[in-house]
Amino acid sequence: MEQNKLWVVAENVDEGLREASFEVLTEVARLASRRGDQIMVLFCSAPDADVNKIGVELASYGADALLPLEVVPNSSRCVGGAIADLAKECRPDAIFIAETIWGHDVAAWVAAKLRTTLLSNCVELGLGPDQELTVTRHVYSDTVAVKYASLGEQTMVITIQPGLFNVKKAFPGKTINLLERHAAQAQNPDPVQVLGFIKADPRTVDIVDAERLVVGGKGMGTAENYKLIHEVAEILGAAVGGTRVARDNGWVTLDRQIGQTGKTVAPELLISCGVSGAIQHTMGLKETKCLVAINTDKHAPIHKLADLSIVDDAPRVLKEFIAKIKTG
Amino acid sequence: MFPRLFTPLTIKNATLPNRIIATGHLTHFASTDGLVTQRMIDYHEARARGGIGMIITESMAVHPTTAQSQYVVHLYDDKVLPGLTELVSRIKQYGTVVVCQLHHMGREMISVDTMRPIVAPSPIMDPMKREVPHELSRAEIKEMVESYAAAAERAVKAGYDGLEVHCAHGYLIQQFLSPLSNQRDDEYGGSFENRLRFAREVIAAVKAVAGDRFVGIRIDGDEFADGGLTMEDVQQIILALNADGLDYIGLSVGHCLNYPTIFPNMDFPLGCFTYLASNIKRLVDTPVYTSHRINDPALAEKILEDGHADMVAMTRATIADPELPIKAKEERIDDIRPCVACLQRCFGRLRMRAPISCLGNPAVGREREFAITPATNPKKVAVVGGGPGGMEAARVLSQRGHKVVLYEKEQELGGMLKLGSSVPNREELFNIARWQIIQLQQSNVEIKTGYEATLNDLRAGAYDAVVFATGAEYGEPSVVFTENVPHINLKQALELADDQVENKNILVIDRDYHNKALGIAEQLAEREAASVVVLSSEVDVALDMESINKMMAYERLNELEVKCLSKAKVERVNGKDFIVSHEGWEVVLPDIDLVVVVDKPKVNTMLAKQVEQELPQLKTYLVGNCASPRLTPDAIFDGYRIALEV
Amino acid sequence: MKVVVLIKMTTVIRGNPNRAENLEAILDPGNVALDVNSYDLAALEEAQRLKESIDYVHITAVTVGPESAVKALQIAHGMGADELIWVDAQYEGGREMELAGLLAEVVSKQGFDLVLCGLKSDDVGTGLVGIGVAEILGIPAVTRSVKIEILPDGGPLQIHRHVGKGNREVVHCPLPAVITVERSRRMPRYPGVARYLAARKKIIRYAVEQQPGTQVSLRHVETKKAQPRPKKIFTPDDNLSAADRMKMIMTGGMARKKKKKAQSVVSGSEQLYNFLVKNGFLKNKA
Ligand SMILES: Cc1cc2nc3c(=O)[nH]c(=O)nc-3n(C[C@H](O)[C@H](O)[C@H](O)COP(=O)(O)OP(=O)(O)OC[C@H]3O[C@@H](n4cnc5c(N)ncnc54)[C@H](O)[C@@H]3O)c2cc1C
Ligand SMILES: Cc1cc2nc3c(=O)[nH]c(=O)nc-3n(C[C@H](O)[C@H](O)[C@H](O)COP(=O)(O)OP(=O)(O)OC[C@H]3O[C@@H](n4cnc5c(N)ncnc54)[C@H](O)[C@@H]3O)c2cc1C
Ligand SMILES: Cc1cc2nc3c(=O)[nH]c(=O)nc-3n(C[C@H](O)[C@H](O)[C@H](O)COP(=O)(O)O)c2cc1C
Ligand code: SF4
């Protein structure tokens, strides 16, 4: 572990690791290859996780070693504590974490336990004239950039803003040193108890965060018809979005416009009603998992992207759908 | 509305008033002796007056061995200095920064204009131009480097603020950089360092004479050719050149193996190559520009906001509307005449060795004669027909102070362009009509839609003049091969119901020679016809179609498995089987269900002729397809020209 | 219950910083103002709500900073704080843990059941101090609270914390504890003018002998005008063939889906219903 000077703490999500963790890893790997450093990835693994498979993937992004952690309980405080203990022992140059909610909390605990500062939400990593690590943070609402360089005596704790760095498998075929699972039992169990989870209200959630969306375009025809979009959204627990035309017509507000000059969404399900599928709109749909298109025009470009194409009058389809649900 | 777009940017000693720039574009306004002309000066002055931040003037020849055509500026000769000095000072009057593009085509040209052997790092034939170049000797390379410097020195003398070394588009410098075209075994070929050497030497030589002027490059961010330079390779090149010192870096794409990307048509998504600039911007502090398919200030602002680049090239966008920057600044977004990426009049005309113009903007290259001036004696004018031609006439007439009534028999304005933009990948074409419609709605033109003008209307209206823009129509198919199979015209084909298309074998006869046969063929194939074959008697289907659009269309047709038969003739028909001769071969097209004959449309001059007879005192003009069936830019040009004449 | 709220003044840039040529223009005194950290206002609001929900809450506002920091205390008083403490000291960036140590000392001396503070500051936004105080005091901490409730009969606090995408987690936390507060839909109340004006007389000033401190191992390289960092952008993989890279660009990175032609002639709503059921987005009612 000692030869790994750069640590990346990866964050779990249901299907694997978070995209933002790969962004961090790609960027750190770029620096490491210039410095000749080794990277160790740490992640909280479930006992049944296929660490080999995860290792192979992480290696292709540039990781040299993988350390699965098993922390009980796995609150951010205990995870941070376990990482800080390891860091005291191995003295890495820096620990990188994506600035997500979990990432920030873990990083703060690590920094607090190491009694060092936290370089949070960094936007740029680099190397100084003597190959020392440099990081840049934006302060004063993104107007001023401050750059720091490591003096190398202490471990730096750095979180990195998601959504900036492209992910890239720059090291296809690279192999990884899979380390033995590290189990840590916190001495003082975290007294904070998690009791439950409350899902966001789809009516108010930011469409960027919405898991389901119903989107209307010019083909909905009237504001009156647009209410059907809201009704269907209500039924499916979805949020409402719109095209620019829908926004221009005042059917949705700007914060619900999807596309190049609006937002990029990443729902599991998106039902697109009376939308032609102009590229400026569909650029915002890239991350959509499952797309249903309802459009009278069989040749509308949106149909080419859809998992289900319904060539039909959108207001009518929605009306009948609502009726079917209501009558059971 | 566009805070970042209108934030100044300082490059070395020059300050751009905003981030909108025009990248180098050949105009063919130079004289055959390689001199700057008044036309070229007027053209650029109009753009500077429109408020653009920086103009990179067209690629200029640094050496007598390079010429795209006869109409390029001979920067290798001092004779250009007076004209060039005038050009530069006119542009600078408006605060616009002006940059000279230093250019050598290497092998990516033909020798027809220079009548000297073409030159390149290695004697490898250019796959597009098909001429084998002379391999530059080391002495000749030295001479070439010196000629770049000498050309740069002239540009400095002429007063340019900056110099751009053209390392893009597969031209000489890129030919040295790329292993595909450089197979030398001396110090200019082989390793990365060696391939980079020529570029380094040229840039160093240019910087040595640049003095206080800035020096930048334009380079392809990815060669998009297997075995060629990838994005990563180019990044290494840029980092190396930047380490030597560059004042800006311009990212571009396209060369002989993927020519359409230099001039992306409407197939290409907006801003589709911005990622190349973004990925460089992450690595350097030097200002970066991005180009290609950025035609809307909102998109440009977004690119700046997302940090992908420092400057945004809107080259064709400012050809189409030189006032784009001012209009954006004044938030008159709807007034911006859009570039629809048709290439018909800019690049399309370069290919025909003619000076550039623009589909939607006839004043390009005619800034002086086509200036819109108030009419000395305002008249009452009827315009019959609301297609692109009629709308343009009405728009300009009303701007000049004439009182205009516009008749359109259909409910909506737009004319045949409504059909023209309904075929696949031509949707954007309608944006020009949409712009005209908005302009007319804001003007005091009286618009009568759903109203067919008659002799009586024209008689009763007390008009001083009538402009006919009644277009052309598709009549009976000009040929019927057999009674066994229905034959229809283009318009009917565009109106087919699904069950008339699905699972049908369709033969399209191209007698239009432009894009229409390919357009309808693609549409029918997309609508799941069983098979579609396009047949032309010429050497190529869509022979006269603009070349980039044609290349892109061929690719899409290929994917849809539409077959094209050129130099072909229907010899006979057996039942529903068509026997076609094709360069001496006989091909059988079995079981054809439908033949679409794409003819040239026939002029619709009925009303014009009536007026000529019945109201001889009324001054009449013909515009667009009703004068002679042609394309949209011709109709718009006619409309504009006639409106100035009335 | 004794609640201590940690608050501070933050630097706010006014005008249009995008247009500023350079750092000097951004930091021109005419453009720079001081304001109470918005997250701290949220924390004050939470404290006030606790006070309203039970009748034995005593609120102490603590700020560390130069003379200008006093304004934060005035606002806190205006919003209902009972006691105001001004620690006259200054900590530059990078010494958050020393600041946390000092705050831990102050709140311990003061006596407390609950420490509330903002999740982070608007200006430099490190987001370490709250957790740092909890770590030094060795007490539990809950981050990103959007709602705090006191359970009856001396039970633990029930806290709703924001966990992303608008979702919340409900946790229980025994006292004493540190809670960091997220800005939420609850707008902080407007400070009362009379209490605001009366605040100055109530402020207790602690002068701190500033220690040289354990210098954090960082060198400040430069401070300059922030350029927007390029956002992630769709980039085809170099390892793909040239044709494939181009194809991805032409479709904006979104693969066109080949699908079977709809065979059935069921109505649109039927198709929609069946599809949603089949893919688990809707429970079949039939
Ligand atoms: C620089 C720039 C940026 C842009 N940014 C965005 C952006 O961020 N987001 C965005 O959305 N747009 C954006 N646009 C606009 C975009 O180009 C399109 O104009 C817009 O997306 C079209 O919206 P639409 O699909 O609602 O309307 P239309 O394109 O008019 O399509 C309406 C569709 O509804 C169908 N239809 C009609 N009646 C019915 C019916 N009864 N039932 C079912 N279908 C019916 C029609 O067949 C048609 O396909 C931008 C444009 C530019 C130039
Ligand atoms: C499938 C297709 C694809 C095409 N693709 C392209 C292309 O890619 N590029 C390109 O440049 N061009 C293209 N075109 C051609 C282009 O549409 C025409 O060249 C252009 O529209 C001609 O304009 P115009 O104004 O002369 O006539 P039109 O557009 O035909 O307008 C004439 C108008 O006059 C009206 N009218 C006639 N008589 C009367 C009357 N008595 N009273 C009132 N109104 C009357 C008609 O209703 C019509 O609206 C295409 C055409 C088709 C069909
Ligand atoms: C008519 C025409 C001529 C061009 N000539 C040049 C040229 O001389 N040098 C050059 O670098 N690019 C040339 N280009 C490419 C343009 O600079 C620009 O990259 C291209 O038009 C795409 O950008 P746009 O979408 O903003 O127009 C030319 C383009 C056109 C349309
Ligand atoms: S001719 Fe077409 S592509 Fe060229 S500038 Fe005009 S609109 Fe754009």
Side-chain angles (χ1 to χ4, degrees):
Chain A
M1 263 186 255
E2 281 72 12
Q3 72 273 26
N4 298 301
K5 287 293 168 209
L6 304 176
W7 291 8
V8 172
V9 180
E11 180 176 352
N12 299 40
V13 281
D14 299 340
E15 324 83 76
L17 300 180
R18 202 178 269 287
E19 171 87 355
S21 300
F22 289 108
E23 293 169 18
V24 173
L25 179 55
T26 307
E27 184 60 9
V28 171
R30 191 176 68 79
L31 293 186
S33 67
R34 283 166 60 198
R35 281 215 325 179
D37 272 343
Q38 305 242 315
I39 301 171
M40 178 167 85
V41 175
L42 301 86
F43 89 111
C44 293
S45 96
D48 56 345
D50 184 350
V51 286
N52 279 309
K53 190 169 146 232
I54 295 172
V56 168
E57 177 162 30
L58 288 170
S60 64
Y61 290 93
D64 298 279
L66 175 63
L67 179 67
L69 294 176
E70 210 176 302
V71 183
V72 186
N74 74 350
S75 67
S76 54
R77 180 177 212 159
C78 297
V79 172
I83 294 171
D85 288 343
L86 285 169
K88 278 181 199 156
E89 206 177 298
C90 307
R91 307 183 61 81
D93 286 356
I95 302 174
F96 299 92
I97 309 184
E99 169 81 26
T100 57
I101 287 182
W102 181 86
H104 181 92
D105 283 3
V106 169
W109 283 114
V110 174
K113 288 180 192 283
L114 295 175
R115 297 290 191 271
T116 184
T117 187
L118 172 62
L119 294 156
S120 59
N121 218 13
C122 292
V123 294
E124 202 176 338
L125 300 179
L127 294 180
D130 301 318
Q131 296 288 87
E132 72 275 25
L133 269 178
T134 63
V135 299
T136 305
R137 302 186 64 222
H138 283 178
V139 299
Y140 300 162
S141 338
D142 266 352
T143 58
V144 174
V146 191
K147 188 169 178 179
Y148 299 100
S150 164
L151 291 174
E153 291 142 19
Q154 265 180 356
T155 298
M156 290 165 99
V157 185
I158 299 165
T159 68
I160 294 180
Q161 194 175 104
L164 292 181
F165 298 104
N166 294 332
V167 298
K168 184 160 185 222
K169 291 190 177 176
F171 305 86
K174 181 170 172 167
T175 53
I176 198 157
N177 177 13
L178 186 56
L179 301 168
E180 203 173 310
R181 204 178 280 266
H182 175 83
Q185 177 87 43
Q187 299 113 332
N188 315 312
D190 198 329
V192 179
Q193 262 189 310
V194 180
L195 292 174
F197 185 80
I198 304 173
K199 273 209 80 56
D201 181 349
R203 279 168 303 194
T204 52
V205 73
D206 187 339
I207 56 168
V208 170
D209 293 333
E211 285 178 7
R212 295 175 180 191
L213 276 163
V214 185
V215 176
K218 186 179 166 197
M220 289 306 293
T222 60
E224 194 55 38
N225 281 345
Y226 215 82
K227 290 195 184 131
L228 299 168
I229 301 269
H230 287 272
E231 270 187 65
V232 172
E234 183 88 39
I235 290 168
L236 294 171
V240 170
T243 64
R244 186 154 100 179
V245 177
R247 194 254 291 180
D248 289 345
N249 290 348
W251 300 340
V252 291
T253 45
L254 176 59
D255 62 330
R256 299 198 166 262
Q257 180 190 319
I258 297 169
Q260 192 165 34
T261 45
K263 291 180 170 167
T264 299
V265 296
E268 300 292 323
L269 169 70
L270 189 147
I271 304 181
S272 178
C273 313
V275 173
S276 59
I279 185 93
Q280 297 91 341
H281 175 72
T282 56
M283 278 174 110
L285 301 181
K286 256 178 244 172
E287 321 273 333
T288 302
K289 301 247 164 47
C290 179
L291 178 70
V292 177
I294 313 175
N295 190 314
T296 40
D297 177 3
K298 193 174 162 195
H299 313 294
I302 192 82
H303 284 313
K304 296 208 178 93
L305 307 171
D307 297 278
L308 172 68
S309 297
I310 301 177
V311 181
D312 205 339
D313 179 70
R316 207 189 59 230
V317 170
L318 298 187
K319 234 176 258 163
E320 289 174 8
F321 177 75
I322 294 163
K324 186 175 168 72
I325 298 287
K326 286 208 172 134
T327 57
Chain B
M1 201 181 216
F2 306 113
R4 295 187 196 265
L5 209 48
F6 291 99
T7 297
L9 175 74
T10 300
I11 305 180
K12 207 167 175 184
N13 295 318
T15 299
L16 283 64
N18 59 58
R19 308 304 180 94
I20 305 172
I21 71 168
T23 47
H25 52 288
L26 187 66
T27 57
H28 279 179
F29 295 148
S31 72
T32 46
D33 332 312
L35 296 177
V36 171
T37 60
Q38 189 59 44
R39 195 183 257 237
M40 188 189 287
I41 294 174
D42 292 344
Y43 169 81
H44 284 300
E45 190 174 351
R47 267 114 206 115
R49 200 185 305 120
I52 196 164
M54 177 162 103
I55 291 177
I56 303 162
T57 54
E58 61 194 73
S59 48
M60 296 186 182
V62 298
H63 194 267
T65 48
T66 175
Q68 282 108 314
S69 69
Q70 293 187 32
Y71 314 103
V72 295
V73 176
H74 294 171
L75 195 59
Y76 53 79
D77 195 318
D78 283 336
K79 72 186 177 190
V80 296
L81 272 173
L84 215 49
T85 311
E86 174 71 7
L87 171 69
V88 169
S89 69
R90 292 284 207 89
I91 295 175
K92 281 170 116 174
Q93 285 180 69
Y94 302 91
T96 300
V97 169
V98 54
V99 176
C100 183
Q101 190 177 48
L102 306 171
H103 182 46
H104 195 299
M105 307 191 81
R107 65 170 187 171
E108 205 167 296
M109 58 178 274
I110 46 175
S111 55
V112 62
D113 297 300
T114 58
M115 297 202 260
R116 298 172 182 228
I118 59 170
V119 300
S122 299
I124 307 167
M125 185 176 83
D126 183 282
M128 187 174 58
K129 302 293 185 182
R130 298 177 301 276
E131 229 177 278
V132 179
H134 160 67
E135 175 176 12
L136 286 166
S137 70
R138 279 145 86 180
E140 283 163 340
I141 289 177
K142 195 153 174 283
E143 180 197 323
M144 198 57 82
V145 172
E146 282 161 7
S147 61
Y148 269 97
E153 222 171 340
R154 275 178 210 105
V156 170
K157 266 194 207 139
Y160 276 101
D161 297 302
L163 303 159
E164 177 173 285
V165 179
H166 197 331
C167 311
H169 301 170
Y171 295 133
L172 185 62
I173 296 183
Q174 188 176 338
Q175 286 159 28
F176 272 92
L177 293 172
S178 172
L180 288 176
S181 42
N182 181 348
Q183 293 178 0
R184 298 176 74 95
D185 49 18
D186 61 2
E187 70 266 35
Y188 289 98
S191 69
F192 173 80
E193 279 296 316
N194 284 356
R195 282 182 281 118
L196 197 60
R197 192 174 313 280
F198 182 64
R200 273 205 155 122
E201 288 181 0
V202 168
I203 295 168
V206 168
K207 273 173 35 189
V209 298
D212 58 351
R213 318 304 161 86
F214 61 84
V215 177
I217 57 168
R218 185 170 210 204
I219 190 164
D220 279 10
D222 184 340
E223 268 199 318
F224 289 109
D226 294 327
L229 303 168
T230 61
M231 183 177 80
E232 198 116 320
D233 298 332
V234 174
Q235 286 178 350
Q236 293 315 312
I237 291 170
I238 293 176
L239 288 177
L241 296 176
N242 193 50
D244 297 350
L246 287 175
D247 296 313
Y248 76 79
I249 299 160
L251 271 295
S252 192
V253 278
H255 62 121
C256 55
L257 292 174
N258 47 59
Y259 203 57
T261 50
I262 310 185
F263 315 97
N265 74 342
M266 46 190 116
D267 286 34
F268 289 80
L270 292 177
C272 59
F273 291 114
T274 292
Y275 75 93
L276 293 169
S278 178
N279 286 315
I280 287 296
K281 176 106 176 80
R282 288 156 203 269
L283 306 178
V284 300
D285 285 330
T286 311
V288 170
Y289 76 64
T290 179
S291 64
H292 286 63
R293 280 290 267 149
I294 300 163
N295 64 0
D296 181 308
L299 175 56
E301 175 73 15
K302 177 91 171 146
I303 288 171
L304 295 174
E305 188 186 317
D306 287 353
H308 298 314
D310 303 281
M311 297 172 270
V312 182
M314 304 183 73
T315 308
R316 283 171 299 169
T318 51
I319 297 179
D321 194 340
E323 291 178 339
L324 177 144
I326 282 189
K327 288 176 179 170
K329 195 167 185 177
E330 294 173 355
E331 304 188 3
R332 290 156 53 205
I333 305 306
D334 283 344
D335 286 351
I336 296 172
R337 187 192 291 108
C339 162
V340 295
C342 66
L343 296 169
Q344 288 180 217
R345 279 279 161 114
C346 53
F347 176 73
R349 281 176 59 87
L350 282 194
R351 274 296 274 253
M352 294 178 199
R353 304 194 153 238
I356 62 165
S357 177
C358 172
L359 169 124
N361 184 1
V364 169
R366 289 185 165 74
E367 280 73 15
R368 239 165 241 261
E369 37 309 14
F370 273 19
I372 297 179
T373 48
T376 41
N377 86 62
K379 294 183 178 145
K380 186 168 182 209
V381 188
V383 177
V384 185
M391 287 198 285
E392 187 67 9
R395 184 185 78 81
V396 178
L397 280 167
S398 118
Q399 257 195 39
R400 297 190 61 216
H402 294 295
K403 179 151 178 25
V404 185
V405 180
L406 175 65
Y407 295 93
E408 169 53 56
K409 69 177 179 209
E410 288 183 31
Q411 292 303 328
E412 280 169 52
L413 295 170
M416 198 194 266
L417 211 49
K418 292 199 293 269
L419 295 180
S421 57
S422 72
V423 292
N425 281 38
R426 294 262 101 188
E427 295 87 355
E428 234 175 303
L429 202 55
F430 199 73
N431 286 356
I432 194 66
R434 198 168 287 135
W435 175 80
Q436 290 176 316
I437 293 169
I438 292 172
Q439 296 305 301
L440 288 175
Q441 283 165 350
Q442 290 172 0
S443 73
N444 46 20
V445 171
E446 187 184 337
I447 305 169
K448 295 192 171 202
T449 44
Y451 193 109
E452 178 160 1
T454 59
L455 192 59
N456 275 341
D457 295 313
L458 299 180
R459 186 183 285 135
Y463 293 112
D464 303 309
V466 185
V467 176
F468 289 101
T470 44
E473 275 159 13
Y474 289 100
E476 287 302 305
S478 60
V479 54
V480 174
F481 298 106
T482 167
E483 296 302 325
N484 302 340
V485 178
H487 286 52
I488 59 173
N489 69 24
L490 175 62
K491 183 143 187 290
Q492 291 163 327
L494 287 165
E495 287 161 359
L496 288 172
D498 284 349
D499 58 348
Q500 295 172 290
V501 178
E502 278 165 21
N503 303 318
K504 299 283 193 270
N505 296 316
I506 303 177
L507 175 62
V508 177
I509 308 290
D510 178 14
R511 292 188 160 198
D512 167 73
Y513 312 110
H514 279 288
N515 62 328
K516 300 186 187 72
L518 299 190
I520 188 69
E522 184 174 355
Q523 202 220 54
L524 295 172
E526 278 198 346
R527 295 177 67 186
E528 287 162 27
S531 76
V532 182
V533 176
V534 188
L535 185 148
S536 169
S537 59
E538 292 302 317
V539 293
D540 227 350
V541 292
L543 181 67
D544 298 329
M545 181 176 175
E546 188 285 314
S547 61
I548 303 257
N549 285 302
K550 181 156 56 178
M551 272 194 234
M552 299 304 295
Y554 280 173
E555 253 172 56
R556 298 197 309 266
L557 290 178
N558 232 342
E559 229 163 74
L560 290 166
E561 296 173 12
V562 171
K563 305 256 179 338
C564 294
L565 273 175
S566 50
K567 291 206 253 173
K569 190 169 155 226
V570 175
E571 294 291 348
R572 57 189 186 281
V573 184
N574 281 346
K576 289 167 77 184
D577 296 352
F578 281 56
I579 290 99
V580 173
S581 72
H582 164 62
E583 299 193 9
W585 300 81
E586 277 207 345
V587 182
V588 183
L589 305 175
D591 203 20
I592 296 293
D593 299 303
L594 181 68
V595 177
V596 179
V597 183
V598 184
D599 288 310
K600 301 259 187 204
K602 295 209 170 57
V603 293
N604 174 11
T605 48
M606 216 165 54
L607 185 60
K609 290 216 167 109
Q610 278 179 356
V611 168
E612 202 179 342
Q613 273 185 0
E614 306 282 328
L615 304 169
Q617 77 291 355
L618 195 55
K619 182 91 179 117
T620 61
Y621 302 88
L622 294 187
V623 157
N625 271 5
C626 78
S628 138
R630 288 156 299 158
L631 295 176
T632 309
D634 305 288
I636 295 178
F637 193 93
D638 282 0
Y640 195 109
R641 175 174 56 81
I642 294 298
L644 294 180
E645 258 179 49
V646 169
Chain C
M1 183 164 78
K2 293 198 75 172
V3 179
V4 180
V5 188
L6 310 179
I7 58 178
K8 73 169 232 181
M9 297 299 285
T10 57
T11 307
V12 180
I13 308 287
R14 303 202 192 283
N16 182 352
N18 294 333
R19 291 210 180 186
E21 271 274 305
N22 49 31
L23 185 68
E24 287 68 40
I26 294 174
L27 297 181
D28 183 278
N31 288 338
V32 176
L34 286 175
D35 225 332
V36 184
N37 185 23
S38 61
Y39 291 90
D40 298 350
L41 287 175
L44 283 168
E45 174 64 29
E46 267 332 298
Q48 211 49 46
R49 284 179 186 244
L50 283 178
K51 191 173 179 178
E52 284 159 8
S53 68
I54 47 172
D55 48 38
Y56 45 93
V57 171
H58 174 88
I59 302 174
T60 307
V62 177
T63 190
V64 179
E67 177 82 47
S68 57
V70 166
K71 188 174 167 208
L73 295 176
Q74 288 179 287
I75 294 203
H77 195 246
M79 287 175 71
D82 303 295
E83 207 174 333
L84 309 172
I85 296 176
W86 168 32
V87 184
D88 189 358
Q90 245 178 306
Y91 284 86
E92 67 269 30
R95 297 176 65 184
E96 293 82 5
M97 284 309 290
E98 284 169 65
L99 173 62
L102 171 69
L103 285 167
E105 207 181 304
V106 172
V107 298
S108 301
K109 218 183 284 171
Q110 187 66 21
F112 71 95
D113 299 298
L114 175 63
V115 177
L116 289 179
C117 69
L119 169 65
K120 59 182 179 186
S121 61
D122 296 325
D123 52 2
V124 287
T126 303
L128 175 56
V129 173
I131 284 178
V133 171
E135 169 63 23
I136 289 171
L137 292 173
I139 56 173
V142 176
T143 57
R144 301 168 197 274
S145 140
V146 287
K147 187 171 167 191
I148 305 172
E149 292 160 321
I150 300 178
L151 297 185
D153 308 328
L157 294 181
Q158 172 160 302
I159 301 149
H160 287 209
R161 59 186 298 265
H162 177 225
V163 288
K165 298 204 159 196
N167 301 326
R168 294 168 175 201
E169 191 176 76
V170 184
V171 301
H172 279 182
C173 178
L175 293 174
V178 176
I179 297 179
T180 73
V181 180
E182 173 76 279
R183 289 180 299 196
S184 69
R185 258 172 241 291
R186 305 180 177 191
M187 293 306 287
R189 65 199 60 201
Y190 201 74
V193 180
R195 285 186 64 90
Y196 178 92
L197 294 173
R200 276 192 173 263
K201 278 178 264 150
K202 290 197 98 173
I203 294 172
I204 304 165
R205 173 172 173 273
Y206 286 4
V208 176
E209 197 57 45
Q210 198 131 7
Q211 260 116 61
T214 45
Q215 196 57 53
V216 170
S217 160
L218 278 184
R219 178 169 59 85
H220 173 255
V221 179
E222 62 180 355
T223 299
K224 59 180 188 183
K225 181 184 171 193
Q227 297 297 336
R229 291 291 306 157
K231 289 231 176 86
K232 196 154 96 173
I233 187 166
F234 169 72
T235 301
D237 192 330
D238 263 2
N239 299 318
L240 295 174
S241 75
D244 284 345
R245 268 178 276 157
M246 192 57 82
K247 221 175 246 164
M248 301 204 70
I249 290 163
M250 299 302 287
T251 54
M254 197 163 168
R256 293 192 171 192
K257 291 174 185 150
K258 278 233 161 88
K259 53 179 176 297
K260 276 185 280 161
K261 256 188 77 177
Q263 341 58 349
S264 65
V265 282
V266 296
S267 72
S269 59
E270 204 76 27
Q271 289 178 46
L272 178 61
Y273 182 86
N274 294 342
F275 181 87
L276 294 179
V277 169
K278 193 174 129 227
N279 289 281
F281 293 113
L282 201 66
K283 285 208 187 73
N284 195 345
K285 289 207 171 175

